[in-house]
Amino acid sequence: MKNMSLNSKKGSTAVFLIMILSAIILAISVMIYGASQLAGMSTSDAVLELAGRSVLSEYDTELLKRYGIFAVNLDEAQIKDKISLYANYSFHNNLLKEQMYRKKHMNLLKLKMESIHVNLKGYSITDISIFEEQLLESAKYDLIKNITGGSSEAVPSKQSDIELKNSQVINSLPSCGYERPALDIGQLLQNGIPGIDELRGKSIDNFSINEYIMGHFINHRRGTEERVTFFQNEAEYILNGGFSDQKNYKAVRKNLFIIRTGMNLTHIYSDSEKRNEIAALAEVLTPGPPAVLTQAVIAGIWSAAEAENDMKRLEDGKKVPLVKTKQQWALHLENAVQADEKHEIETLKDSLEENGEEENLDLGKSIQAKRKKTGYIEPRDKRGIEYEDYLRILLFMENREMKLLRCMDLIQLNMKGSYHQDFDIRQFYGGFEFDAVIQEKKLSYVQKY
């Protein structure tokens, strides 16, 4: 009986120990399973994240090189296939992995992608916000490059009469069908034209976009000797949007002429000496009450003649200030259409005295030769801002969406002509979203530049 009781106790103890051991093994199994699931999700997350970044690394290098834009030319099916390829390579053993590591690996996690869905909606590079963000990033890089001396000054472009006539190409432009009101120069003059420093302070994003435009697109004054763009007046196209290169420039020139006429008129009425000259001439031409109206006409003619002289100087690379002083005024009233002989002789004489060449020069002949060569009169004070700075002012006032869409137009036209004839900027994306199901768990990602 005693042995039977002892054996019974031993049996009970063994059963109890087995139960405890089973519980421990079960707990350990649960912990191992949980750890494996956690490791599996962590591995899956890292693999899918890397797969998404790998797809973004296949950006178009030419688009980046020319315009500083990161974008992939892939559709949803292509992105899905690439992510699946990258992920499955990481999840499973294969001959390439065995050769790389020179040994066989066991896939203890046994991860498997059950499904994947890719969404490109909202990531087209033609989306105004995405495109603007890319241009702002590129503008920052350009600023750093300029500070470190990485940029070179462009040379005057060769102008020719270029016109886009292909209706299929025109209809494929991103700006096609987008309407916006024309820039109201009169309202601009009434509100006051801001200076360059004021533009920078008003909106740094707008200012940066305009600097991007001036840096990546050529204009009437600055371009390249070798023509690699469709239009030669690209900045002017952004401002006017016509399909004739010369008409775009003429439209911008007209706006600048109006601006200069308005600013010159303001100067005339603020200068008592000029007002007295106008009043005296008006009394000679139309004595009595009509002289008041004649004064306004004379002031308009004088300011317009000065504006035309301003435009010729700007076209020749000279500087013209927004608000002039007496020394920065070029034309005298008595000869507003042609240069005043005495005024120009004095201007040239001052220049010659600085160089010590006055004695041996026939001033009269030099004046005639200079006028014939340049077609404009130089003021005493030649300080001011350049043609490109006036473009910056107009760009600052341009509609944001229209400005960015026309930038897209130029990129598409230029890439079609110099890179790939089937280039379509609508087929490029600055990111994408995707989600994948692994071990019955859904993982979602947003990938963007």
Side-chain angles (χ1 to χ4, degrees):
M1 292 291 293
K2 187 176 181 179
N3 290 334
M4 291 179 61
S5 177
L6 183 60
N7 291 334
S8 176
K9 289 181 178 180
K10 289 181 177 180
S12 297
T13 301
V15 171
F16 181 70
L17 290 174
I18 291 172
M19 291 175 63
I20 293 176
L21 183 59
S22 299
I24 293 174
I25 293 173
L26 179 61
I28 292 174
S29 299
V30 171
M31 292 175 65
I32 292 174
Y33 177 79
S36 66
Q37 290 294 304
L38 183 61
M41 288 299 99
S42 179
T43 301
S44 300
D45 181 64
V47 167
L48 292 173
E49 179 72 25
L50 181 59
R53 301 307 298 176
S54 297
V55 173
L56 290 184
S57 70
E58 300 183 29
Y59 53 81
D60 190 285
T61 56
E62 190 67 20
L63 189 59
L64 175 64
K65 178 182 176 181
R66 291 194 61 175
Y67 297 105
I69 295 175
F70 285 93
V72 292
N73 183 16
L74 299 169
D75 58 28
E76 292 179 350
Q78 291 172 318
I79 295 175
K80 178 180 177 180
D81 291 342
K82 287 180 179 293
I83 292 176
S84 298
L85 176 65
Y86 297 143
N88 289 330
Y89 169 79
S90 300
F91 289 158
H92 304 292
N93 290 329
N94 55 68
L95 182 60
L96 179 59
K97 288 172 67 176
E98 292 173 6
Q99 290 176 346
M100 289 177 63
Y101 292 97
R102 297 182 180 177
K103 60 181 180 178
K104 293 188 176 181
H105 293 261
M106 294 181 63
N107 185 7
L108 298 177
L109 297 177
K110 295 182 179 179
L111 299 173
K112 181 180 179 181
M113 184 181 294
E114 298 171 17
S115 66
I116 180 172
H117 176 261
V118 176
N119 178 28
L120 283 169
K121 187 176 181 180
Y123 291 93
S124 172
I125 203 66
T126 55
D127 180 277
I128 293 294
S129 298
I130 292 178
F131 185 72
E132 183 179 42
E133 184 179 343
Q134 290 256 10
L135 265 56
L136 288 172
E137 288 298 318
S138 180
K140 292 178 184 177
Y141 173 77
D142 292 338
L143 177 61
I144 296 173
K145 187 170 65 174
N146 291 337
I147 292 174
T148 56
S151 63
S152 58
E153 186 174 352
V155 297
S157 58
K158 298 177 181 178
Q159 300 298 323
S160 58
D161 191 9
I162 303 163
E163 185 172 359
L164 179 61
K165 298 180 179 180
N166 189 313
S167 59
Q168 184 175 355
V169 173
I170 291 174
N171 292 332
S172 70
L173 295 176
S175 68
C176 182
Y178 188 94
E179 299 293 337
R180 69 95 172 87
L183 182 63
D184 190 345
I185 300 297
Q187 187 65 36
L188 176 61
L189 287 169
Q190 184 176 347
N191 295 337
I193 300 175
I196 299 301
D197 292 336
E198 188 178 350
L199 294 182
R200 187 183 293 106
K202 279 190 173 183
S203 172
I204 189 63
D205 284 353
N206 195 349
F207 181 83
S208 297
I209 292 296
N210 295 340
E211 289 307 299
Y212 174 93
I213 290 172
M214 301 307 295
H216 288 82
F217 300 107
I218 61 179
N219 58 71
H220 190 77
R221 268 296 307 161
R222 300 292 173 90
T224 56
E225 289 184 342
E226 183 180 356
R227 185 171 161 315
V228 293
T229 62
F230 185 84
F231 291 122
Q232 287 296 299
N233 298 315
E234 292 189 303
E236 290 82 359
Y237 170 81
I238 292 173
L239 288 167
N240 189 60
F243 299 123
S244 167
D245 211 28
Q246 290 304 307
K247 287 181 179 179
N248 284 331
Y249 172 66
K250 289 178 180 179
V252 171
R253 190 187 193 279
K254 179 181 177 181
N255 285 338
L256 293 181
F257 174 81
I258 294 173
I259 289 175
R260 285 300 333 143
T261 300
M263 298 302 291
N264 291 339
L265 192 61
T266 300
H267 169 82
I268 288 175
Y269 283 116
S270 66
D271 187 336
S272 59
E273 183 178 337
K274 289 184 176 64
R275 291 200 311 271
N276 292 334
E277 289 184 59
I278 291 174
L281 180 58
E283 281 296 334
V284 172
L285 296 176
T286 56
V292 176
L293 179 59
T294 304
Q295 289 180 32
V297 173
I298 294 172
I301 294 174
W302 195 1
S303 60
E306 181 77 8
E308 181 60 28
N309 192 73
D310 294 339
M311 290 307 304
K312 290 179 178 178
R313 294 184 64 237
L314 288 172
E315 289 169 330
D316 198 32
K318 303 299 173 61
K319 296 180 178 180
V320 176
L322 270 176
V323 180
K324 291 185 175 183
T325 64
K326 288 184 178 181
Q327 289 73 28
Q328 292 167 332
W329 192 267
L331 302 183
H332 283 192
L333 177 58
E334 60 266 27
N335 197 357
V337 178
Q338 298 179 354
D340 175 73
E341 194 79 8
K342 180 180 177 181
H343 173 67
E344 190 171 5
I345 288 176
E346 290 176 352
T347 301
L348 182 58
K349 184 177 179 180
D350 291 340
S351 175
L352 293 172
E353 286 176 346
E354 293 176 1
N355 299 313
E357 301 175 0
E358 181 184 2
E359 296 180 356
N360 300 319
L361 190 62
D362 184 335
L363 291 178
K365 292 182 179 179
S366 297
I367 292 295
Q368 294 174 0
K370 186 182 176 211
R371 181 193 304 137
K372 185 176 181 181
K373 181 179 179 181
T374 64
Y376 56 79
I377 308 303
E378 287 278 30
R380 290 178 179 272
D381 187 346
K382 301 176 179 62
R383 293 175 298 173
I385 60 175
E386 297 177 321
Y387 174 77
E388 287 186 305
D389 295 321
Y390 280 94
L391 290 184
R392 287 180 170 93
I393 294 172
L394 294 181
L395 285 169
F396 192 87
M397 303 302 170
E398 180 60 89
N399 174 271
R400 167 180 170 265
E401 288 80 8
M402 191 77 266
K403 181 164 55 179
L404 293 171
L405 286 170
R406 286 175 179 165
C407 286
M408 297 180 202
D409 291 350
L410 293 174
I411 292 173
Q412 179 156 308
L413 287 171
N414 294 338
M415 296 295 278
K416 273 182 176 291
S418 62
Y419 176 51
H420 197 289
Q421 63 179 2
D422 294 326
F423 184 93
D424 187 346
I425 197 170
R426 291 185 181 88
Q427 297 175 359
F428 286 78
Y429 297 88
F432 58 91
E433 298 175 4
F434 75 97
D435 54 65
V437 177
I438 298 177
Q439 293 180 334
E440 299 182 353
K441 292 187 177 180
K442 184 178 179 180
L443 300 173
S444 301
Y445 301 87
V446 174
Q447 298 287 348
K448 59 183 297 186
Y449 295 107

